[in-house]
Amino acid sequence: MGDIVEVFLAFSTYATIVVLKMMLMSPMTGYFRITRKAFANQEDTSLASSTEDKKKLVRVDPDVERVRRCHQNDLENIIPFVVIGLLYTLTGPDLSTALLHFRVFVGSRLFHTVAYVLPLPQPSRAVAFLIGLVTTSSMASRVLITALYL
Amino acid sequence: MGDIVEVFLAFSTYATIVVLKMMLMSPMTGYFRITRKAFANQEDTSLASSTEDKKKLVRVDPDVERVRRCHQNDLENIIPFVVIGLLYTLTGPDLSTALLHFRVFVGSRLFHTVAYVLPLPQPSRAVAFLIGLVTTSSMASRVLITALYL
Amino acid sequence: MGDIVEVFLAFSTYATIVVLKMMLMSPMTGYFRITRKAFANQEDTSLASSTEDKKKLVRVDPDVERVRRCHQNDLENIIPFVVIGLLYTLTGPDLSTALLHFRVFVGSRLFHTVAYVLPLPQPSRAVAFLIGLVTTSSMASRVLITALYL
């Protein structure tokens, strides 16, 4: 249990990094909306242009949708990691085991974003997704084994 | 306050179970995408078929969309439960009251998924959703009453 | 470090308020779905009408979609605030600095919802979004400076 402070500092660092990465998807979506001139709301079209026919700018663009799907996949995977990771940290795992989980998860999600946005050929994105899912599940299994109270 | 360790163990257990349930929606979406041959990305079509016309496989399927809406509803309800539930746990509630909240919430969300995916006739899904909302709101009211600091 | 209990109480209060605000988007979506008669599922149409042609009620309505985009933006911004804000609280910031962060964030998100749903002319919503993003990033930078452990 002497490791728990260091595990918590490591969790704080990696959780903050991967949540900041997720937050970056919002400005990236904004960048694609402005450069592709594809907006979700009528009032937003003034952000891009004052001359063009504004009704035509409320439209769906494949590049914008790709970034949005990547953002959604982050929400579906990074938030479970943060929740399960905090509970896992409090179970007092070995520092080296905990660091392995945190680094593999964050690495897999950074690669997932690259694989989604470029995009890279499959199965690169599918593998990155699965590695993240297995890492979070591994931490969840320790939480349930250590703390089970139904 | 002697209950707080047991309440925390119970919270950890139920939060982990319901977050794992939410994470299962991703593989379920993948299963429906492959069996229905309905993908969101051009590069994903290679996961299902090497012979068919791949452009036709980038399409929207009603069964896939149903699972995705269920997943989205989980994000909108389970994550607030986890956040509010953690703060509620730290207010030192009675163990039996806390267990009631956790069990009712997790039960309502398990039933919600069944009601959404099958689907069951309304208002079964609406009732499951509302029970979860009321449970989280009840915990939130205790947090605000106990910890209010504006 | 004498402030940490008060910072934690303030965090609990503001996090609960802003998560409750996010949860209110679900009933608001339901209200618009019923009044606009625009549903996502065939089985939901029985909630609004027993006489009309039910297939026509499974449709997309611009007012419903606007509320749903607002809800999605909340998920993308309020959940990172809660995660980063909890870690920030544990770094032991000054009470006044912490309160400034929490109040600015929650205020910006309340205004964001008003600006999105009415809607107000841009750039009001974009400014509200950016203020929230900067506030969370400021807390994240303190977490990384205080707790960095790679």
Side-chain angles (χ1 to χ4, degrees):
Chain A
M1 290 290 283
D3 284 346
I4 202 165
V5 172
E6 281 168 306
V7 174
F8 188 75
L9 292 176
F11 170 73
S12 299
T13 301
Y14 285 101
T16 301
I17 289 170
V18 79
V19 169
L20 283 174
K21 189 233 73 78
M22 182 170 79
M23 289 168 65
L24 270 179
M25 302 312 288
S26 288
M28 197 189 287
T29 302
Y31 169 81
F32 276 94
R33 284 202 182 282
I34 288 171
T35 56
R36 266 59 171 177
K37 301 193 175 183
F39 296 92
N41 301 288
Q42 184 68 47
E43 71 269 22
D44 302 353
T45 56
S46 61
L47 296 171
S49 167
S50 53
T51 54
E52 289 178 68
D53 183 352
K54 290 186 175 181
K55 288 217 171 173
K56 284 187 184 165
L57 302 184
V58 179
R59 62 184 186 85
V60 171
D61 175 87
D63 293 337
V64 172
E65 294 308 303
R66 179 174 286 277
V67 176
R68 290 184 65 224
R69 286 194 298 274
C70 182
H71 198 169
Q72 182 71 13
N73 197 278
D74 276 355
L75 286 170
E76 292 168 3
N77 289 279
I78 290 175
I79 297 165
F81 165 79
V82 170
V83 172
I84 305 280
L86 177 63
L87 300 175
Y88 169 80
T89 296
L90 299 174
T91 65
D94 285 341
L95 178 59
S96 58
T97 314
L99 281 171
L100 183 68
H101 281 86
F102 301 159
R103 287 170 181 162
V104 167
F105 182 84
V106 174
S108 76
R109 296 307 303 184
L110 295 176
F111 180 73
H112 181 273
T113 302
V114 173
Y116 214 147
V117 175
L118 283 181
L120 298 178
Q122 286 282 27
S124 41
R125 195 185 88 233
V127 168
F129 163 77
L130 282 173
I131 290 173
L133 198 73
V134 167
T135 308
T136 304
S137 303
S138 164
M139 295 192 301
S141 70
R142 184 178 158 97
V143 172
L144 289 181
I145 289 165
T146 314
L148 192 67
Y149 191 107
L150 283 168
Chain B
M1 291 290 284
D3 283 347
I4 203 165
V5 171
E6 279 167 308
V7 174
F8 187 75
L9 292 177
F11 170 73
S12 299
T13 301
Y14 285 100
T16 301
I17 288 170
V18 79
V19 168
L20 283 175
K21 190 232 74 79
M22 181 170 79
M23 288 168 65
L24 269 179
M25 302 311 288
S26 287
M28 196 190 288
T29 302
Y31 170 80
F32 277 94
R33 285 203 181 283
I34 289 171
T35 56
R36 268 58 171 177
K37 301 194 176 183
F39 296 92
N41 301 287
Q42 185 68 47
E43 71 268 23
D44 301 353
T45 57
S46 60
L47 297 171
S49 167
S50 53
T51 53
E52 290 177 67
D53 183 352
K54 290 186 176 180
K55 288 217 170 173
K56 284 187 184 164
L57 301 185
V58 180
R59 63 185 185 84
V60 171
D61 176 85
D63 293 336
V64 172
E65 294 308 304
R66 179 173 285 278
V67 177
R68 290 184 64 224
R69 285 194 299 273
C70 183
H71 198 171
Q72 182 71 14
N73 197 279
D74 277 354
L75 286 171
E76 293 169 3
N77 289 277
I78 289 175
I79 297 165
F81 164 80
V82 171
V83 171
I84 305 280
L86 177 64
L87 299 175
Y88 168 81
T89 297
L90 299 174
T91 65
D94 284 341
L95 178 58
S96 58
T97 314
L99 280 171
L100 183 68
H101 280 87
F102 301 159
R103 286 171 181 161
V104 168
F105 182 84
V106 173
S108 76
R109 296 307 303 183
L110 295 177
F111 179 73
H112 181 273
T113 302
V114 174
Y116 214 148
V117 175
L118 283 181
L120 298 178
Q122 286 282 26
S124 41
R125 196 185 88 232
V127 168
F129 163 77
L130 282 172
I131 290 173
L133 199 72
V134 167
T135 309
T136 303
S137 302
S138 164
M139 296 193 299
S141 70
R142 184 179 158 96
V143 172
L144 289 182
I145 288 166
T146 314
L148 192 68
Y149 191 108
L150 283 168
Chain C
M1 289 291 283
D3 283 346
I4 202 163
V5 172
E6 281 168 305
V7 173
F8 187 76
L9 292 177
F11 171 72
S12 299
T13 301
Y14 286 100
T16 301
I17 288 171
V18 79
V19 169
L20 283 174
K21 191 234 71 82
M22 180 170 81
M23 287 167 65
L24 270 179
M25 302 312 288
S26 287
M28 196 189 288
T29 302
Y31 170 80
F32 276 94
R33 284 201 181 284
I34 289 170
T35 56
R36 267 60 172 175
K37 300 192 176 183
F39 296 92
N41 301 288
Q42 185 68 48
E43 70 269 22
D44 302 353
T45 57
S46 61
L47 296 171
S49 168
S50 54
T51 54
E52 290 177 68
D53 183 352
K54 290 186 176 180
K55 287 217 172 173
K56 284 188 184 163
L57 301 184
V58 179
R59 62 184 185 85
V60 172
D61 175 86
D63 293 337
V64 173
E65 294 308 304
R66 179 174 285 279
V67 177
R68 292 184 63 225
R69 286 194 299 273
C70 183
H71 198 171
Q72 183 71 14
N73 197 278
D74 276 354
L75 286 170
E76 292 168 3
N77 288 278
I78 289 175
I79 297 164
F81 165 79
V82 171
V83 171
I84 304 280
L86 177 63
L87 300 175
Y88 169 79
T89 296
L90 299 175
T91 65
D94 284 342
L95 178 58
S96 59
T97 314
L99 281 171
L100 182 68
H101 280 86
F102 301 158
R103 287 171 181 162
V104 167
F105 182 84
V106 173
S108 76
R109 295 309 301 184
L110 295 177
F111 179 73
H112 181 273
T113 303
V114 174
Y116 213 147
V117 174
L118 285 182
L120 297 178
Q122 286 282 27
S124 41
R125 195 185 90 233
V127 168
F129 163 77
L130 282 172
I131 290 173
L133 198 73
V134 168
T135 308
T136 304
S137 301
S138 164
M139 295 192 300
S141 70
R142 183 177 160 98
V143 173
L144 289 181
I145 288 165
T146 314
L148 192 67
Y149 191 109
L150 284 168

